[in-house]
Amino acid sequence: MKDQGPIAKHTISAIVDNEAGVLARVIGLFSGRGYNIESLTVASVDETKARSRITVVTKGTRMVIEQIKAQLDRLVPVHKVADLTIEGSFVSRELALVKVCGEGEMRVEALRIADVFRASVVDSTRTSFVFELTGASDKLNAFIDLMRDLGLVEVARTGGVALSRGKTGL
Amino acid sequence: MMTNSAASTTGTEPLEMLSGAQMLLRALTDLGVDKIFGYPGGAVLPIYDEIFKQEKIEHILVRHEQGAAHAAEGYARSTGKPGVVLVTSGPGATNTVTGLTDAMLDSIPIICITGQVARHLIGTDGFQEADTVGITRPCTKHNYLVKDTAKLPDIIHEAFYVATNGRPGPVVIDIPKDIQVEKAPYKVSKHTEHRTYKPTVVCDENAVRKAVDALLTAKRPIIYAGGGVINSGPHASKLLTEFTKLTGFPITSTLMGLGCYPASDKQFLGMLGMHGTWEANHAMHDCDVMLAIGSRFDDRVTGDTERFSPGSTKIHVDIDLSSINKNIFVDIPVVGDAANFLERVLKIWKAEQCSEKQSDLSLWWEQITNWRAIKCLEYIDCDDAIMPQKALERLHALTVDRDPIISTEVGQHQMWAAQFLGFDRPNRWLTSGGLGTMGYGLPAAIGAQIADRSRLCIDVAGEASIQMNIQELSTAIQYNLPVKIFILNNEYMGMVRQWQHLNYEGRYSQSYTAALPDFVALGEAYGWKGLRVSDPAKLDETIQQMIDYDGPVIVDCRVVKLANCFPMVQSGAAHNEMLLAGDDIGGQKDDEALALV
């Protein structure tokens, strides 16, 4: 299919058995079929039932996104798959750790901006900070951009984690 | 969950303590397995020792692990039961990869048990260690690395459930050698359903209704049936035949679907796709309602997707949701089993007297009759050499009474076989459709012959393909299998040569099969009967000799060297742009065309 309409960003959630190889299956599916991964997070969310939740942010046409969902759903250890983007509104958060090194006015300015962004300081030396910031992707990008002129050393970021709004769950 | 104690938590009987190897044999026996295709090696010796000690399961020793996988496929396709493979770690496992991928693409249920180095050696680059689950992950429906002996019986049962339910496929169970030796309590929970894998079998009521409504209004309908109908079981083929007869709709089938509807019936338009018939492809292009059932809009079927059947309402019935809207956007998706869909549609059709309400199809059939008049499969016969089409026509005529099982290798001979050997029943046609695996046919025929020794099993081969698993000639001798091989020998990798002729101005790069063995002498060296024929006048008597001989026969049928397989929808062309034998013009294509597979 050459012309499949516009490409859009989608956040897909999957509940999977927390077993060896399940992440490899999901990643292999994306790379093997040429799908795009913007970010992927995975962690155990139910120890008693041994289940993990995978959140994938991906881009594609409607047909590609539909394929990704169907392909994920037929993997044996996958319980449920949802395309949060089309199934109503959802909240999504990312976390970033940002190391900034500076002295004097630059150091004060970094701290001031961190305060505006409600970033917290999780490590400090006389010449450096590690800030912790959560929020939507855009907010994290904006913060990191501002830190570039203020002695940005390095960044570690998670991918997005997301839940649908309202009372029902996946 | 398993308990570690030997005593059952619920029952009064103490659980039996078995080694992993004993558990495997016990579970396979319980699951009704009576044949295993395999090859021993260091990492499966405990299992082979258990095989030695029992008589319920017959082990078929192949000569190469790829042969085991294809034999299991042939067994599965001809019987509808899952085929079982047993191989050692490392090279044993990697040699099955082609067979597993083949089974994956053609949706064939096989279980492949691989040995693995002991648990404490995994990851140490031990002798004959390979990351089997890693290597086979993309080419299996699911795979398991067994890490706990107590879980082995459950895993085996689950593997059979996964392989045979929903869209069937290959499943690998990788068993470390120390697990094969270690003892644990044998306990199985029956798998009537799976905790996560729950394929949709029953079609949605509204979707079925929408499909019926669309079919009722159809003035130019076509049924496009695929391998899913055969995988659904012989009952689905019966229902499909009943529905097609009841409605009077024309029907075409994919390569994988041949036999799901009687080829000898007048409503059957022949196979569609790249080497499908003129009438089938034109009917697909011009139809107003298409009922795709158990087929997957493969590129060999659709040609150019942009110009595929423009203007038709497409109904797509498939048990695998991911097959729907993958290549072609459809109007009415129906997720479910082919037999379930057909049963429900038939019920509505009969209850609501739909036969009286459906549109008149006489104009449509008139059009189809005109397309048929082109006689697209016609070829110019020749007195002094055997035409490959003629050879297969005669093979069909002389064997049809025996209701043979036909397997093929891959290439021109495969397409001619699909065109000229009409299949009236399912499970008679074993061919590598999706993966196109040369070397498939001989082991597949052996698998089918193992399943039923009384059947006439013929591998229609090319002289190039047959050499890819030629070692299996020995397997047939060991088990007294009267398999027949019918080689259409044109001394070329015919399909490669045909593409080079059509697209590369006849530069036959590496497609001449030089240094060919003497197939008669080769067959005889292995203990087969060898026959050769090159005179058209002796074709019939040679085929008859092959059929009549009580034992394996290899026929070297020398055919004309440069015949091309037509009709043909070239890659990137639309269904109504077919080449016929008369359009056989070689040349050079542009880069875009050359990039298409």
Side-chain angles (χ1 to χ4, degrees):
Chain A
M1 302 288 288
K2 288 169 198 161
D3 181 25
Q4 301 175 316
I7 292 174
K9 193 189 240 188
H10 287 250
T11 300
I12 292 170
S13 246
I15 302 291
V16 302
D17 272 346
N18 189 7
E19 64 178 35
V22 65
L23 187 59
R25 280 179 215 287
V26 171
I27 291 171
L29 175 71
F30 275 76
S31 64
R33 292 186 183 266
Y35 306 141
N36 173 294
I37 299 180
E38 296 249 306
S39 81
L40 184 144
T41 60
V42 56
S44 172
V45 290
D46 187 336
E47 289 297 336
T48 51
K49 289 184 187 165
R51 287 185 188 177
S52 292
R53 188 176 183 114
I54 295 177
T55 311
V56 191
V57 181
T58 182
K59 267 184 178 170
T61 60
R62 189 170 66 96
M63 273 174 84
V64 167
I65 298 293
E66 213 181 286
Q67 264 296 300
I68 291 175
K69 222 185 121 188
Q71 293 287 355
L72 281 173
D73 205 31
R74 73 178 187 152
L75 292 180
V76 170
V78 171
H79 287 258
K80 264 185 172 180
V81 185
D83 180 351
L84 297 176
T85 306
I86 61 161
E87 289 173 15
S89 60
F90 66 101
V91 286
S92 172
R93 290 291 179 271
E94 287 178 31
L95 182 142
L97 295 175
V98 182
K99 186 179 282 183
V100 178
C101 182
E103 286 174 29
E105 189 49 37
M106 271 168 75
R107 187 170 157 82
V108 178
E109 179 62 7
L111 205 55
R112 210 175 303 158
I113 291 171
D115 192 40
V116 172
F117 276 79
R118 291 185 200 146
S120 51
V121 176
V122 290
D123 177 67
S124 176
T125 66
R126 279 196 205 155
T127 55
S128 71
F129 290 119
V130 174
F131 295 114
E132 175 200 316
L133 179 64
T134 59
S137 207
D138 292 352
K139 177 180 163 183
L140 270 55
N141 291 341
F143 181 75
I144 292 162
D145 274 350
L146 288 170
M147 288 301 129
R148 280 187 214 288
D149 295 336
L150 300 170
L152 181 69
V153 176
E154 62 178 345
V155 178
R157 279 176 84 154
T158 67
V161 290
L163 288 179
S164 62
R165 289 185 187 273
K167 61 183 177 184
T168 56
L170 188 59
Chain B
M1 289 293 290
M2 285 297 154
T3 54
N4 286 327
S5 85
S8 163
T9 47
T10 51
T12 47
E13 293 280 307
L15 286 174
E16 216 177 329
M17 294 295 285
L18 297 180
S19 72
Q22 289 169 326
M23 286 179 177
L24 175 68
L25 270 293
R26 176 76 64 87
L28 292 177
T29 309
D30 289 350
L31 283 157
V33 174
D34 57 2
K35 304 278 189 277
I36 294 180
F37 301 91
Y39 203 102
V44 280
L45 285 174
I47 298 171
Y48 273 86
D49 195 44
E50 290 306 320
I51 287 176
F52 188 87
K53 292 179 196 158
Q54 55 84 55
E55 284 179 344
K56 285 180 181 155
I57 296 177
E58 185 190 8
H59 179 274
I60 312 300
L61 178 67
V62 294
R63 297 301 184 268
H64 184 288
E65 290 89 350
Q66 184 188 355
H70 293 322
E73 285 188 273
Y75 177 90
R77 290 184 61 165
S78 62
T79 62
K81 294 193 288 185
V84 181
V85 177
L86 172 59
V87 296
T88 194
S89 63
T94 56
N95 277 345
T96 65
V97 166
T98 302
L100 293 169
T101 313
D102 193 274
M104 186 70 177
L105 276 173
D106 284 348
S107 308
I108 309 302
I110 63 172
I111 314 292
C112 178
I113 295 144
T114 55
Q116 181 56 278
V117 299
R119 278 170 291 181
H120 69 276
L121 288 172
I122 290 178
T124 65
D125 295 333
F127 178 64
Q128 293 196 328
E129 184 192 354
D131 175 9
T132 301
V133 287
I135 290 167
T136 61
R137 198 174 284 126
C139 64
T140 52
K141 188 173 169 185
H142 195 51
N143 62 14
Y144 303 85
L145 170 60
V146 184
K147 288 181 178 160
D148 177 353
T149 311
K151 287 184 177 157
L152 182 59
D154 249 2
I155 287 175
I156 296 160
H157 280 258
E158 184 180 307
F160 273 75
Y161 180 86
V162 170
T164 54
N165 279 270
R167 180 177 177 177
V171 175
V172 163
I173 311 172
D174 197 27
I175 311 179
K177 195 174 181 184
D178 58 327
I179 286 199
Q180 297 168 27
V181 177
E182 187 178 74
K183 282 196 162 78
Y186 182 81
K187 183 169 175 268
V188 175
S189 45
K190 287 270 178 282
H191 277 277
T192 47
E193 65 168 28
H194 191 269
R195 68 189 187 287
T196 50
Y197 183 66
K198 297 183 172 81
T200 308
V201 174
V202 179
C203 307
D204 174 64
E205 187 65 44
N206 289 331
V208 173
R209 173 54 67 178
K210 273 191 200 161
V212 169
D213 289 347
L215 292 167
L216 263 178
T217 59
K219 293 188 173 66
R220 299 186 309 280
I222 183 139
I223 300 170
Y224 150 43
V229 178
I230 291 174
N231 274 338
S232 180
H235 183 54
S237 293
K238 279 200 191 97
L239 292 168
L240 178 67
T241 307
E242 188 186 350
F243 178 69
T244 310
K245 295 276 181 200
L246 187 65
T247 55
F249 290 173
I251 178 168
T252 177
S253 145
T254 65
L255 180 70
M256 294 298 297
L258 293 175
C260 72
Y261 186 87
S264 56
D265 186 80
K266 62 184 191 310
Q267 279 170 256
F268 187 65
L269 307 188
M271 180 175 77
L272 83 166
M274 186 171 271
H275 292 287
T277 65
W278 183 267
E279 49 272 27
N281 284 336
H282 275 83
M284 286 289 282
H285 185 271
D286 288 5
C287 69
D288 66 348
V289 177
M290 177 191 299
L291 172 59
I293 178 158
S295 45
R296 60 183 178 90
F297 297 91
D298 172 82
D299 60 75
R300 283 296 182 271
V301 158
T302 61
D304 181 8
T305 51
E306 299 293 305
R307 292 179 290 162
F308 173 73
S309 192
S312 62
T313 299
K314 297 174 185 73
I315 305 163
H316 188 187
V317 185
D318 204 295
I319 200 156
D320 179 5
L321 175 64
S322 75
S323 279
I324 295 176
N325 289 343
K326 181 169 68 182
N327 300 328
I328 296 289
F329 185 79
V330 298
D331 306 274
I332 305 172
V334 188
V335 182
D337 179 51
N340 178 269
F341 174 81
L342 288 161
E343 228 161 55
R344 309 256 300 275
V345 170
L346 268 168
K347 200 173 163 197
I348 296 176
W349 210 270
K350 288 175 188 162
E352 301 179 11
Q353 279 95 40
C354 292
S355 294
E356 289 157 32
K357 295 183 221 161
Q358 74 180 84
S359 304
D360 176 38
L361 305 178
S362 52
L363 277 176
W364 181 226
W365 273 109
E366 209 172 285
Q367 173 67 68
I368 290 169
T369 308
N370 289 338
W371 284 324
R372 273 181 165 160
I374 300 280
K375 293 195 166 50
C376 66
L377 296 178
E378 229 168 38
Y379 58 92
I380 298 163
D381 203 5
C382 160
D383 285 339
D384 51 359
I386 299 173
M387 292 300 289
Q389 298 96 324
K390 176 79 168 188
L392 292 176
E393 264 181 350
R394 294 315 301 157
L395 181 69
H396 180 58
L398 295 169
T399 58
V400 67
D401 296 345
R402 298 278 304 270
D403 188 16
I405 292 175
I406 306 281
S407 70
T408 73
E409 310 289 336
V410 169
Q412 282 184 322
H413 69 273
Q414 177 192 28
M415 292 298 109
W416 280 317
Q419 291 172 341
F420 289 92
L421 307 174
F423 294 92
D424 283 350
R425 291 171 207 85
N427 307 104
R428 267 63 169 182
W429 170 240
L430 322 174
T431 198
S432 172
L435 194 63
T437 310
M438 292 169 74
Y440 171 88
L442 174 56
I446 287 173
Q449 192 80 78
I450 283 289
D452 188 346
R453 286 166 184 271
S454 69
R455 298 295 295 269
L456 175 60
C457 296
I458 307 172
D459 172 27
V460 174
E463 84 290 337
S465 283
I466 191 64
Q467 295 188 79
M468 282 213 185
N469 269 320
I470 195 77
Q471 75 286 347
E472 300 306 325
L473 289 174
S474 178
T475 308
I477 294 296
Q478 183 175 347
Y479 298 95
N480 291 316
L481 303 175
V483 172
K484 318 295 180 195
I485 299 174
F486 192 73
I487 302 172
L488 295 180
N489 184 348
N490 59 6
E491 297 180 18
Y492 277 101
M493 293 159 213
M495 196 58 93
V496 173
R497 189 203 51 74
Q498 176 167 343
W499 280 52
Q500 289 171 335
H501 164 72
L502 291 170
N503 300 336
Y504 296 88
E505 295 178 313
R507 291 185 294 278
Y508 297 157
S509 180
Q510 305 297 319
S511 55
Y512 181 68
T513 330
L516 272 177
D518 173 341
F519 286 109
V520 172
L522 176 72
E524 282 167 357
Y526 274 101
W528 286 52
K529 183 180 181 61
L531 298 171
R532 177 171 295 121
V533 61
S534 52
D535 178 1
K538 297 204 169 122
L539 179 59
D540 275 22
E541 75 177 70
T542 309
I543 294 172
Q544 198 57 51
Q545 252 184 299
M546 172 187 90
I547 304 165
D548 292 343
Y549 183 72
D550 183 19
V553 184
I554 184 166
V555 178
D556 181 14
C557 180
R558 298 297 184 92
V559 297
V560 299
K561 291 186 186 172
L562 300 178
N564 289 326
C565 183
F566 289 106
M568 181 175 189
V569 182
Q570 289 200 275
S571 278
H575 272 168
N576 58 353
E577 299 174 333
M578 298 192 80
L579 297 182
L580 290 168
D583 308 323
D584 184 359
I585 301 157
Q588 176 75 42
K589 294 284 189 305
D590 62 24
D591 287 354
E592 197 185 348
L594 293 181
L596 294 166
V597 185

